[in-house]
Amino acid sequence: MITDASDPADASDPAAAVDSVASDPAGAAADSVGSDAAVGSDAADASEAPVLPDAAGLLGAAESASAAESASGSGAARLPDAAALLRAAVRNNADWCDTMCRAHGLSGAFGPRAWTSPRRSPLYYPDAVTLAEEATADDVLTGIDRTAPGASVKDSHARLDLAAAGFRLLFEAAWIHRPARLPAPRPTGDWRPVRTPDELAAWALAWSGGDADEAALFRPALLADPATTIVAGHADDGRILGGAVLTGAAGVTGVSNLFTADDVPASYAWAGALAAAAPGLPVVGYESGDDLAAALAEGFEPLGPLRVWLDA
């Protein structure tokens, strides 16, 4: 489940982590700092948050495979592209977090090394996102509201140690990308964009597993954002079986808040989301645990680790 709200992936309640890609608030409440729902303010007990201890290991394995391809001449351009893809994934996710904040009447600020929100971010969303590997604790902490516990920081390169500042590690995840050359799978069911406030309300209720308070996170202002596309997959009887948020920014398509209902497999939502993504562009996001495994099964590859910190 990618939340940001990356990720219930872009988290105040790790249990509800979504923005972000495997975002299944019902099951993550049941990451979605994956997406970014999981990173929001007032996060729950970190012991409930999904942890990905092997994110760096997965990346290392992927880089080793790429190095072997380069040595054989079949993948010479792949490794140089990894850093650029990671930068694009990070910026795309920060743009989605900023979009969600604007939908709630909040104004975030982009600096050279971090995005920050001077007022507390919406539920499940980070108050700061690092944009560069060289970002420091000051880059994120001086731009956010810490007057009460619960502020969160998405350390996009897993480089910061915020423990001395009173934060605790909420969870770890892996940035992922799906190469543009891969064809999108053929979706099943009736997939279409969410276009009206009523359709958005129904989508949000399905995303939240019927929790009206969590569903209120998704406001109609999102429908007017040209970079945001919200898609839903419908059963024959009209029920929403899955959905996702797509963000077109930084030359890639970001997927967050991906979810499925009941016992519908993640592949159902991935097929619908990938079919709706802009052709010819890489698709990015972040995931952890079983949601990461599901994304890798759909052709995604790991790019690098990230961490989310919570101000205790």
Side-chain angles (χ1 to χ4, degrees):
M1 164 191 308
I2 276 185
T3 216
D4 279 326
S6 120
D7 56 41
D10 80 346
S12 20
D13 182 357
V18 190
D19 171 107
S20 283
V21 158
S23 321
D24 180 358
D31 153 65
S32 251
V33 159
S35 273
D36 261 297
V39 197
S41 314
D42 306 324
D45 185 349
S47 65
E48 300 176 15
V51 176
L52 184 66
D54 60 340
L58 284 170
L59 178 65
E63 289 178 339
S64 296
S66 294
E69 290 179 4
S70 296
S72 67
S74 62
R78 184 175 176 186
L79 280 176
D81 290 343
L85 279 168
L86 178 57
R87 287 193 297 271
V90 169
R91 177 59 192 234
N92 181 285
N93 184 258
D95 279 11
W96 165 238
C97 293
D98 188 68
T99 296
M100 178 59 81
C101 283
R102 286 188 282 108
H104 285 252
L106 305 174
S107 297
F110 282 93
R113 296 187 294 199
W115 170 89
T116 55
S117 175
R119 295 170 57 194
R120 292 299 283 276
S121 60
L123 180 70
Y124 301 138
Y125 281 75
D127 297 275
V129 179
T130 63
L131 303 176
E133 287 190 52
E134 61 271 22
T136 66
D138 284 345
D139 288 325
V140 293
L141 299 184
T142 58
I144 63 176
D145 178 8
R146 298 185 65 196
T147 55
S152 59
V153 173
K154 181 181 292 179
D155 176 11
S156 301
H157 300 85
R159 300 284 292 251
L160 300 180
D161 183 353
L162 299 181
F167 284 71
R168 58 190 171 93
L169 183 63
L170 189 61
F171 67 88
E172 298 179 300
W175 294 106
I176 56 175
H177 83 101
R178 191 174 192 271
R181 68 178 183 276
L182 295 183
R186 184 183 299 276
T188 58
D190 178 16
W191 281 86
R192 56 183 184 268
V194 171
R195 301 191 184 281
T196 70
D198 286 346
E199 290 176 350
L200 180 60
W203 182 96
L205 274 175
W207 170 87
S208 69
D211 188 313
D213 290 336
E214 288 188 351
L217 176 66
F218 291 88
R219 298 186 173 182
L222 293 170
L223 300 175
D225 183 71
T228 301
T229 301
I230 301 173
V231 294
H234 301 261
D236 291 341
D237 61 5
R239 287 181 302 118
I240 295 177
L241 299 180
V245 174
L246 283 67
T247 301
V252 295
T253 298
V255 178
S256 64
N257 297 280
L258 183 139
F259 72 94
T260 56
D262 304 323
D263 295 324
V264 178
S267 58
Y268 173 84
W270 274 120
L274 292 171
L281 294 180
V283 179
V284 300
Y286 70 89
E287 292 294 356
S288 66
D290 291 344
D291 294 326
L292 175 59
L296 298 180
E298 298 298 328
F300 281 85
E301 302 171 11
L303 281 173
L306 67 91
R307 297 173 181 160
V308 174
W309 294 85
L310 177 68
D311 188 1

